[in-house]
Amino acid sequence: MRRFFLLVATIFFLYASWTVVEKKIEDTKYGNAIETIKIEIDGIKESPEVKGFIETTFTSFLEFLAGLNKATEEQTESSNEFESEDAVSKPNLEAPTEQIFSIYNVELGDTREVVEGSIGEAKRRSYNEYGVEWYTYHDHYMNFMMVAYNEESRVVAMYTNQELITSSKGIELGTSKELVLEKLGDPMEYINKGLVNYQFQADRDYDMFEWDDSFVTIFYDQHKQNTVTAIQIIDKELEKNRKDFYTESSDQLKEGFERQLFDLTNASRVRHGLDPLIWDDEVSITARKHSVDMAENQFFDHTNLKGQSPFDRMLEDQIEYSVAGENLALGQLSSIFAHEGLMNSLGHRENILHPDFELLGVGVAFNEKSNPYFTENFYTK
């Protein structure tokens, strides 16, 4: 019965307000689907049976809805109580004793045994640009962090974009960029790889610092007054072992980047109070094909050289959707830098934090210079 009345409400809304909806959508990325939707809605609007049905049932529907709303409010109160009791607990964080930063009370040099004895086993292992694996730890994407170990199973790299950062300098998630620079001093302007100095962009959304025996990268959220939004800590020897700015391409690295970008997206969604997305194999194929196309044909655009939009490509692959979106990234040296860059681009950020998306596929490809192309395809059936 509830579904029946919700269907009536949907029909009435579309019948009464289609002109406004059409104007809002026609200039957006969903414009390609607007004509098909419009034809079907116009058919509904002109049907005498539907007109009569709406006129005779909408009053009673409103009465029903008032009662339903009261019942829903009571149910929501009960549900919220359960969720608060069942929520994932935050760890008790302590300031680091040996180094300037810790994540989830973990510092560089700690053993894997100590780490997993405290926070449990990893949910995923994936190859990264340093030639080691990221071990991904989280509880339904809460308390999210990634850790890499060396051959002796000691921590040589860490990352998080959640409230797990502690520092002897008082830096944590949400700290202003001004305070970071005050506490850590001038950031690095370039990084050396062999005989080449790779210059960091002036308008970058991160700062890298060489501190003790590590390289610390602080990422800022430009949409929240340039406050700390994530941190990556890399052991100095591990960084020096990466000879080039871009790691040589491989199938192992491609798959690693894909899964890492998926996990990073979900960690950001959960941090912002949204449900995590579900990995979709079918749309991942669509995403990979577009990344390969861009890498091989040397272009970077949502519209390919055949004039196809992301939505055209999804439909061509027989992927039906009610709402969809696409993110692209190029030039970042890793999935972490790609994700943080996307979060600082408003349109891409909106896709990552879109409350109506349910599924995600990620595709990565490399050009001849091992420069990675990232494609994310979001949708809901």
Side-chain angles (χ1 to χ4, degrees), residues 181 185-192 197-204 206-210:
L181 297 179
D186 295 332
M188 299 167 57
E189 297 298 329
Y190 63 88
I191 190 167
N192 177 267
N197 290 332
Y198 290 89
Q199 191 78 23
F200 298 137
Q201 293 180 337
D203 60 347
R204 61 188 181 273
Y206 62 89
D207 283 320
M208 185 180 292
F209 304 87
E210 185 174 357

Side-chain angles (χ1 to χ4, degrees), residues 32-181:
N32 288 342
I34 193 69
E35 288 302 324
T36 300
I37 299 172
K38 181 180 178 184
I39 290 171
E40 295 187 7
I41 296 301
D42 285 344
I44 294 174
K45 287 168 62 178
E46 296 304 318
S47 169
E49 292 82 359
V50 172
K51 286 183 177 180
F53 179 72
I54 291 174
E55 291 173 357
T56 57
T57 61
F58 193 66
T59 300
S60 60
F61 168 74
L62 290 177
E63 294 174 354
F64 169 82
L65 190 60
L68 179 62
N69 182 58
K70 181 178 180 181
T72 301
E73 289 178 352
E74 294 174 353
Q75 183 178 2
T76 300
E77 289 180 4
S78 175
S79 175
N80 287 341
E81 287 180 5
F82 173 78
E83 289 178 358
S84 63
E85 293 174 358
D86 199 47
V88 177
S89 60
K90 293 183 179 180
N92 294 320
L93 301 177
E94 300 176 356
T97 57
E98 302 295 329
Q99 298 161 18
I100 186 173
F101 285 103
S102 65
I103 299 176
Y104 210 143
N105 296 328
V106 176
E107 299 180 44
L108 292 183
D110 287 347
T111 66
R112 178 181 169 190
E113 182 180 8
V114 169
V115 173
E116 297 193 346
S118 174
I119 63 181
E121 295 184 358
K123 296 294 193 296
R124 190 192 306 282
R125 293 169 57 178
S126 58
Y127 194 74
N128 67 23
E129 68 277 12
Y130 290 98
V132 294
E133 290 182 310
W134 280 125
Y135 286 65
T136 304
Y137 301 93
H138 61 86
D139 188 346
H140 298 87
Y141 288 101
M142 296 185 69
N143 296 333
F144 177 89
M145 70 179 299
M146 300 197 299
V147 179
Y149 303 97
N150 62 14
E151 294 179 353
E152 288 76 37
S153 293
R154 291 193 175 274
V155 177
V156 290
M158 296 187 291
Y159 165 89
T160 188
N161 59 2
Q162 295 189 359
E163 295 182 20
L164 301 174
I165 305 168
T166 51
S167 171
S168 60
K169 297 287 187 177
I171 297 170
E172 59 187 13
L173 208 73
T175 297
S176 68
K177 179 177 181 177
E178 290 77 10
L179 184 57
V180 170
L181 297 179

Side-chain angles (χ1 to χ4, degrees), residues 352-369:
I352 292 170
L353 302 180
H354 198 305
D356 294 334
F357 287 146
E358 296 178 355
L359 304 168
L360 171 61
V362 183
V364 173
F366 299 87
N367 65 13
E368 294 179 351
K369 298 180 180 180

Side-chain angles (χ1 to χ4, degrees), residues 44-45 99 106 145-146 207 220 251 264 275 301 317 322 328 335 337 343:
I44 294 174
K45 287 168 62 178
Q99 298 161 18
V106 176
M145 70 179 299
M146 300 197 299
D207 283 320
Y220 305 108
D251 290 341
L264 291 163
D275 291 332
D301 202 304
D317 289 342
S322 59
L328 302 179
S335 52
F337 279 83
M343 283 294 289

Side-chain angles (χ1 to χ4, degrees), residues 279-334:
W279 177 271
D280 186 83
D281 286 326
E282 292 182 354
V283 84
S284 294
I285 295 173
T286 304
R288 289 190 194 108
K289 288 193 297 186
H290 188 56
S291 287
V292 169
D293 188 19
M294 290 188 294
E296 291 182 348
N297 293 292
Q298 301 179 16
F299 76 97
F300 182 68
D301 202 304
H302 291 287
T303 302
N304 64 20
L305 300 182
K306 297 179 181 179
Q308 293 176 312
S309 71
F311 316 108
D312 295 328
R313 293 191 294 272
M314 290 177 67
L315 293 175
E316 183 178 61
D317 289 342
Q318 300 181 338
I319 297 172
E320 297 181 356
Y321 59 87
S322 59
V323 59
E326 179 177 86
N327 282 353
L328 302 179
L330 168 65
Q332 291 82 1
L333 61 91
S334 73

